[in-house]
Amino acid sequence: MIYQKPDCLFCRIILGEIPAKIVYRNDHVVAFRDITPVAPQHILIIPVKHISSLNDLGPADEMIAGHMLLAARIVAEIIGIRESGYRLVFNTGADAMQSVFHIHGHLIGGTQMGWPPFPGLPTVHA
Ligand code: AMP
């Protein structure tokens, strides 16, 4: 059974209660344009099932994780950045500034991006 959380913003987009510029959807995932893009192309890829964050992705969600990755590749083709390149980011928790607690991948591209994201900072190895 697919589960939506009534007070979740992204669940409400899935249900069509809140408008969004949807670029791709199938039975498992929905992809729509971020309302505050940080790059020329910025798409959010979310599962239809409500999962709060990557921390809450369980072994039973293996197929969902795969569907999100496949959707990222399909969306990159649809929006024309397959060959130029793109990045897929899953902000998770406070340090990553996750603000919407329905797991989502940010697919960003359409410009040259820098790496590492914080050059000059000391790295911490376990
Ligand atoms: P995060 O900070 O990683 O949780 O990302 C949440 C993203 O959702 C942000 O990039 C927001 O701009 C985006 N966002 C919030 N509300 C909407 C909305 N109604 N439609 C599309 N994107 C949204």
Side-chain angles (χ1 to χ4, degrees), residues 9-10 13 18-20 32-38 42 44 90-91 96-101 104 106:
L9 172 66
F10 287 175
I13 286 177
I18 292 176
F32 54 95
R33 293 201 173 274
D34 195 294
I35 205 167
T36 312
V38 299
H42 187 171
L44 299 175
F90 287 82
N91 293 329
M97 297 188 74
Q98 182 179 0
S99 63
V100 177
F101 285 82
H104 50 280
H106 295 258

Side-chain angles (χ1 to χ4, degrees), residues 47 49-66 68 103:
K49 177 186 174 186
H50 180 87
I51 300 169
S52 295
S53 82
L54 205 52
N55 285 341
D56 302 287
L57 196 73
D61 300 318
E62 194 178 359
M63 293 289 283
I64 290 174
M68 291 180 75
I103 188 172

Side-chain angles (χ1 to χ4, degrees), residues 5-99:
K5 197 162 171 271
D7 60 347
C8 168
L9 172 66
F10 287 175
C11 282
R12 295 189 68 197
I13 286 177
I14 290 164
L15 294 170
E17 296 174 0
I18 292 176
K21 292 181 181 167
I22 292 175
V23 296
Y24 176 76
R25 79 184 297 160
N26 62 28
D27 290 343
H28 311 281
V29 299
V30 178
F32 54 95
R33 293 201 173 274
D34 195 294
I35 205 167
T36 312
V38 299
Q41 297 286 356
H42 187 171
I43 309 291
L44 299 175
I45 297 165
I46 67 173
V48 169
K49 177 186 174 186
H50 180 87
I51 300 169
S52 295
S53 82
L54 205 52
N55 285 341
D56 302 287
L57 196 73
D61 300 318
E62 194 178 359
M63 293 289 283
I64 290 174
H67 281 299
M68 291 180 75
L69 273 184
L70 282 174
R73 191 263 289 162
I74 292 167
V75 170
E77 288 179 19
I78 290 171
I79 64 175
I81 59 172
R82 173 193 160 109
E83 301 306 330
S84 53
Y86 50 91
R87 192 169 284 169
L88 187 62
V89 177
F90 287 82
N91 293 329
T92 306
D95 272 2
M97 297 188 74
Q98 182 179 0
S99 63

